[in-house]
Amino acid sequence: MARLNDEVGALLREYADLILLSGGNAFRARSYEKAARSVGGYPGDLAHLDEAGLRAIPGVGDSTAEKISEYLASGRMEALESLRAKIPPGVREVTQIPGVGPKTAVLLYRKLGIKSVDELRKAADAGKLKGLPGLGEKTVENIRHGIEQLSQASGRTLLSIALDLAEDLVAELGAVPGCKKCDYAGSLRRMRETVGDIDILATAKDSAPLMAALLARPEVADVIGSGTTKTSIRTDKGLQVDLRVVQPAEWGAALVYFTGSRAHNIKLRGRAVKEGLKLSEYGLFDVESGKKLASRTEKEVYAALGLPWIPPTLREDRGEIEAAADGALPDLVQLKDLRGDLHTHTDLTDGLAPLEVMLQTAADLGYAYYAVTDHAPNLAMQRMTDDKMLAQRARARDLDREYSGMRVLHGTELNIDAAGDVDWPADFLAGFDLCVASIHSSFGLDRAAQTKRLIRACENPHVNIIGHPTTRLLDRRPPIDADLDAVFAAAAHTGTALELNASPQRLDLTDDQAMAAQRHGVKFAINSDAHSTPALSNRRFGIATAQRAWLTKDDVINTWSLTRLRAFLRKPAVRGGGG
DNA sequence: GCCGTTTTCGGCCCGACTGTTTTCAGTCG
């Protein structure tokens, strides 16, 4: 449902970028950017709004509302099309390179005719960038480095984007007459942070209607192949979708096979071979007699191999098969276990919704507690002041009384500076129920300095959670370079939780990092870092990361009772309270 | 282009950091 909003948001963002690239007014561009964000974070469906309704969205005025309704009615935005005609798409792509903004991209385009990242790479290699005004040796080197970073990240699609499409496809294909079962498989089902393609599995006696339904989808740009058992298409966004139709009796074996991972499957097959069995996408068979032993459900297949069903998020051959055989699979944390969100924003800083609206949405999610943690003053762009924060606290205390089932915690997201210090003196910090502290700048410090600043933040008695600890952005920014083992040890020792930031662009810490941290005894907070009401639902990606890290409820502080959580937030380990 | 304890124009997220400058432009959060 939110996808149309995202689509319109993306178009408005593109329009804003093209305004800048065509030398238009920067405030005008910013205004479209703001509208894009606002539309993307709007909780309702744009399709149900007329122009007056659209104008009621903050940041959307006459001009933007008109463009949106034009798009809703015709599927086109004329003003956008005309700017697209002036600026080649690759010029905008060039601004994706870290450190390259619109000014530089335009300069490269005007002076050298560069209209793609690839052309820029070639020009840099050929030494053609030298001598351009404002581009010294260092900048050229930074551009090269940026291109390198960009190329390493590309080629895969964010989990959230792929999941959105996959859920849509499963809903539509599952409703096709004759379809018995339909689900997505592959790395998507294992909830990896990015996916290479979407695998959809379905059962039906006659596959033709299912194949036809996929081919008729509006986002199909290219048909790679289509037969009776498999159809592959590529979407307009370049994402490949494979639909496989199997016999109902083979559903379980096929689902195991296509869910993977490859390494998990290989180990399963090895286990089968040892017992004189053969495992394929068609079933588990006795080699000698050729008799089929299991295939109808995943549970049957695993059971016939002497194993309990293994959750897809664990199927990476990281010891899950051995653990399953020993009856030692972890009791993974589930979405329903989450009792609260401990890192969220409101429109007091860069969030989109007022405190009241965020709280109501949180209450609707069934939370027992909820922390509002707006930005602190050192992130200057947020214009936070002591007075604003105290006024919000007073309001939060009032609102707390209005919710019988949910406690409102007043917190903040502090800024960890280059030395590891944070905003506000200790006495002011003591007034918060909890403090998240995160890095927002100085990403380029060396390993020793990054390690030191993170440890120093952990040692601060008022810092309860380190937010997005590595600051990586998928496809955009690499993680900072720090000795994470040292940081994990400090976090565990000081009673500072590390965040599993659930924003799909962040997913920070990663599953592997969380797994390593857990071995140090670190506790975690699964937080949405929501800047809008729909983003509160991103928690599902945090849960997925936690599961992939083998975490249980006991590892995750926001599955705990409020009493236990409050005891943890007092940081007895640092304050010398003796526990 | 949007918005208004500013009412129809005149501001708009501010400051650090970097690399190129010799006083500043571009990028980023």
Side-chain angles (χ1 to χ4, degrees):
Chain A
M1 183 172 90
R3 285 182 55 226
L4 175 66
N5 296 23
D6 292 339
E7 192 178 312
V8 171
L11 291 173
L12 293 174
R13 191 161 290 116
E14 181 184 354
Y15 190 61
D17 286 351
L18 292 179
I19 287 171
L20 288 177
L21 289 169
S22 58
N25 181 297
F27 289 115
R28 206 173 143 241
R30 185 184 294 171
S31 149
Y32 279 108
E33 245 167 55
K34 193 172 173 223
R37 232 169 81 78
S38 199
V39 162
Y42 182 73
D45 191 337
L46 287 190
H48 301 145
L49 298 181
D50 57 13
E51 274 201 38
L54 290 169
R55 277 196 304 272
I57 300 175
V60 176
D62 292 344
S63 199
T64 309
E66 203 177 301
K67 289 184 177 67
I68 297 175
S69 11
E70 179 197 352
Y71 182 72
L72 295 181
S74 69
R76 281 173 60 84
M77 215 180 269
E78 203 46 54
L80 175 61
E81 302 290 343
S82 96
L83 273 187
R84 277 177 176 168
K86 284 187 201 158
I87 312 281
V91 177
R92 185 170 177 243
E93 183 199 333
V94 166
T95 65
Q96 293 301 299
I97 301 167
V100 178
K103 301 281 185 187
T104 311
V106 168
L107 176 81
L108 293 166
Y109 176 51
R110 300 262 182 257
K111 297 281 184 189
L112 299 175
I114 288 169
K115 46 190 191 307
S116 74
V117 174
D118 202 45
E119 287 176 17
L120 179 54
R121 179 193 287 115
K122 284 177 184 147
D125 288 346
K128 286 185 185 161
L129 303 188
K130 278 181 199 148
L132 284 181
L135 289 193
E137 209 170 307
K138 212 54 183 270
T139 305
V140 172
E141 195 42 49
N142 286 345
I143 289 175
R144 274 201 148 94
H145 185 64
I147 293 174
E148 193 59 31
Q149 280 178 18
L150 200 64
S151 68
Q152 280 172 4
S154 63
R156 292 178 70 85
T157 302
L158 283 189
L159 172 63
S160 55
I161 292 169
L163 200 54
D164 230 4
L165 176 58
E167 286 178 339
D168 235 38
L169 290 171
V170 165
E172 181 171 334
L173 296 174
V176 169
C179 179
K180 301 269 188 245
K181 280 181 176 163
C182 184
D183 209 342
Y184 53 84
S187 51
L188 194 59
R189 185 160 177 251
R190 304 197 312 277
M191 299 288 272
R192 281 194 55 179
E193 61 191 33
T194 59
V195 303
D197 56 19
I198 294 178
D199 292 302
I200 308 245
L201 197 60
T203 69
K205 285 215 175 88
D206 178 12
S207 66
L210 283 167
M211 303 308 190
L214 176 61
L215 293 175
R217 291 280 305 190
E219 63 274 298
V220 173
D222 198 11
V223 179
I224 300 164
S226 184
T228 55
T229 61
K230 178 179 169 182
T231 290
S232 294
I233 61 105
R234 202 179 309 280
T235 70
D236 45 7
K237 304 271 184 329
L239 184 57
Q240 184 172 331
V241 178
D242 295 340
L243 169 63
R244 289 183 172 83
V245 181
V246 301
Q247 291 306 307
E250 295 163 354
W251 170 256
L255 195 53
V256 170
Y257 182 85
F258 289 113
T259 296
S261 65
R262 202 183 161 76
H264 177 88
N265 286 353
I266 287 171
K267 191 156 275 185
L268 273 188
R269 285 201 291 273
R271 198 179 159 84
V273 168
K274 270 189 205 149
E275 297 178 26
L277 309 175
K278 185 182 74 126
L279 178 64
S280 74
E281 61 264 52
Y282 301 107
L284 181 68
F285 301 88
D286 184 276
V287 172
E288 240 175 64
S289 66
K291 190 184 164 215
K292 180 151 75 170
L293 302 176
S295 69
R296 189 164 287 276
T297 68
E298 282 197 331
K299 202 173 170 188
E300 282 179 24
V301 173
Y302 280 104
L305 287 166
L307 300 170
W309 179 78
I310 298 177
T313 43
L314 293 186
R315 298 184 196 171
E316 298 289 350
D317 187 26
R318 291 192 291 201
E320 72 279 5
I321 293 173
E322 294 81 353
D326 293 343
L329 282 176
D331 189 7
L332 295 179
V333 60
Q334 308 287 330
L335 191 62
K336 64 176 169 49
D337 298 327
L338 220 49
R339 295 201 203 184
D341 199 324
L342 301 178
H343 180 178
T344 68
H345 296 272
T346 74
D347 62 0
L348 183 62
T349 55
D350 57 350
L352 296 169
L355 177 61
E356 291 77 3
V357 177
M358 294 301 283
L359 289 183
Q360 187 54 56
T361 312
D364 293 344
L365 289 174
Y367 281 148
Y369 45 82
Y370 178 88
V372 50
T373 57
D374 272 314
H375 289 287
N378 292 0
L379 207 58
M381 63 189 279
Q382 305 294 350
R383 293 180 144 182
M384 180 52 73
T385 63
D386 294 14
D387 288 346
K388 279 196 205 171
M389 204 42 131
L390 293 174
Q392 184 190 54
R393 182 175 305 160
R395 183 71 186 130
R397 299 294 182 233
D398 284 345
L399 289 164
D400 178 57
R401 286 188 273 277
E402 289 183 18
Y403 291 97
S404 54
M406 184 176 82
R407 295 284 61 79
V408 179
L409 305 178
H410 189 244
T412 180
E413 182 183 11
L414 302 166
N415 184 52
I416 302 174
D417 71 17
D421 293 317
V422 298
D423 318 57
W424 282 312
D427 61 338
F428 195 89
L429 292 180
F432 289 105
D433 296 321
L434 86 165
C435 296
V436 179
S438 321
I439 289 176
H440 297 106
S441 58
S442 303
F443 305 113
L445 295 180
D446 66 29
R447 187 177 175 86
Q450 298 287 25
T451 307
K452 199 172 159 193
R453 78 198 283 211
L454 281 169
I455 291 175
R456 186 165 167 79
C458 288
E459 287 169 345
N460 186 318
H462 297 288
V463 170
N464 303 114
I465 299 169
I466 304 294
H468 46 74
T470 78
T471 75
R472 67 101 175 240
L473 293 176
L474 281 155
D475 278 8
R476 289 274 320 279
R477 186 169 66 212
I480 55 168
D481 182 20
D483 177 355
L484 288 181
D485 272 313
V487 175
F488 296 159
H493 174 68
T494 57
T496 311
L498 297 184
E499 185 170 74
L500 297 186
N501 189 295
S503 163
Q505 288 81 21
R506 290 193 185 272
L507 297 182
D508 180 12
L509 300 172
T510 67
D511 49 2
D512 288 338
Q513 290 162 348
M515 206 173 214
Q518 198 269 349
R519 287 197 280 266
H520 283 271
V522 167
K523 298 298 180 191
F524 303 88
I526 299 176
N527 292 332
S528 70
D529 193 2
H531 286 69
S532 67
T533 54
L536 287 168
S537 304
N538 285 339
R539 60 190 186 150
R540 66 188 301 198
F541 303 115
I543 289 287
T545 304
Q547 291 186 344
R548 291 179 54 82
W550 293 50
L551 301 188
T552 67
K553 273 169 69 170
D554 190 54
D555 299 312
V556 181
I557 64 171
N558 49 333
T559 67
W560 297 353
S561 70
L562 184 59
T563 309
R564 186 178 174 196
L565 174 65
R566 281 199 197 277
F568 179 85
L569 295 177
R570 283 195 291 273
K571 290 195 88 168
V574 172
R575 294 180 190 196

